[in-house]
Amino acid sequence: MENFINSIVIPGNLPVIEKETFNKLEKKYLTIILIRILIFFLVLSGAFISILFISEELPPVKIILLISSAIIVLIAYSFIINLLGFPKKGYLVRDKDISFQRGLITYKITTVPFNRIQHVEVNQGILAKMLKLSTVKIFTAGGNASDLSIPGLQVDIANNLK
């Protein structure tokens, strides 16, 4: 029978993931993000305009201007956050794990040990296919909360990671 050992690990002795070592996502992926934002707000604006035409009585001009201004501010905010946050996204493959970092306002890094991976998929949406990009989806034994998705990779790199 083996002796059970459960040694104390001091946080200062843990290996550090350097931010500089992360591989950046393809810049073409930013185009996909911005197109998705634009499509979402076009649909939202179309719905707003449709409601105005369907309603029997038009709301006051102030309300129309207020809602229109809110949509414009949200579009600008979404574009700015994504433009500033995109350079902070990246992935890192080490001997025993893979990590993905993202975030501008809130920073998040997800690390998945290779021994927890159940399976891996490579996906391409319509826009990604046009720009020759793929997304690697890593499914773990921990369920949806611990799964990892790395978008904006060149097709050959995504297939190599798989």
Side-chain angles (χ1 to χ4, degrees):
M1 184 169 162
E2 290 184 42
N3 290 336
F4 177 74
I5 298 173
N6 193 8
S7 302
I8 295 173
V9 177
I10 299 170
N13 294 340
L14 292 171
V16 178
I17 299 176
E18 298 295 328
K19 290 184 181 180
E20 302 85 45
T21 60
F22 276 78
N23 300 298
K24 299 297 179 191
L25 303 181
E26 288 295 315
K27 291 188 188 289
K28 293 185 285 185
Y29 181 63
L30 182 58
T31 305
I32 293 173
I33 293 171
L34 297 179
I35 289 172
R36 286 178 183 166
I37 291 170
L38 195 57
I39 289 171
F40 173 77
F41 282 107
L42 285 173
V43 170
L44 183 67
S45 299
F48 174 63
I49 291 169
S50 298
I51 291 170
L52 286 178
F53 281 115
I54 291 172
S55 64
E56 294 178 14
E57 187 177 313
L58 283 176
V61 175
K62 288 182 181 180
I63 292 176
I64 294 172
L65 289 175
L66 181 68
I67 293 173
S68 301
S69 300
I71 290 174
I72 291 169
V73 167
L74 287 173
I75 290 172
Y77 174 78
S78 298
F79 270 83
I80 290 169
I81 290 297
N82 280 287
L83 287 171
L84 295 176
F86 186 78
K88 305 212 182 289
K89 294 182 180 183
Y91 68 98
L92 175 66
V93 181
R94 299 187 301 175
D95 288 337
K96 297 180 182 178
D97 58 30
I98 185 166
S99 298
F100 183 65
Q101 70 176 4
R102 61 200 164 283
L104 177 65
I105 295 174
T106 59
Y107 176 75
K108 184 175 183 180
I109 183 168
T110 305
T111 301
V112 175
F114 290 137
N115 64 354
R116 300 290 295 166
I117 294 175
Q118 295 290 312
H119 72 278
V120 180
E121 293 179 358
V122 176
N123 296 330
Q124 277 186 311
I126 295 171
L127 293 173
K129 191 173 247 183
M130 290 170 40
L131 295 173
K132 297 180 174 68
L133 297 176
S134 292
T135 298
V136 172
K137 290 190 176 187
I138 299 169
F139 298 90
T140 64
N144 291 347
S146 60
D147 292 344
L148 180 62
S149 182
I150 304 174
L153 300 174
Q154 292 177 4
V155 175
D156 56 338
I157 291 174
N159 287 324
N160 286 342
L161 280 177
K162 181 182 176 193

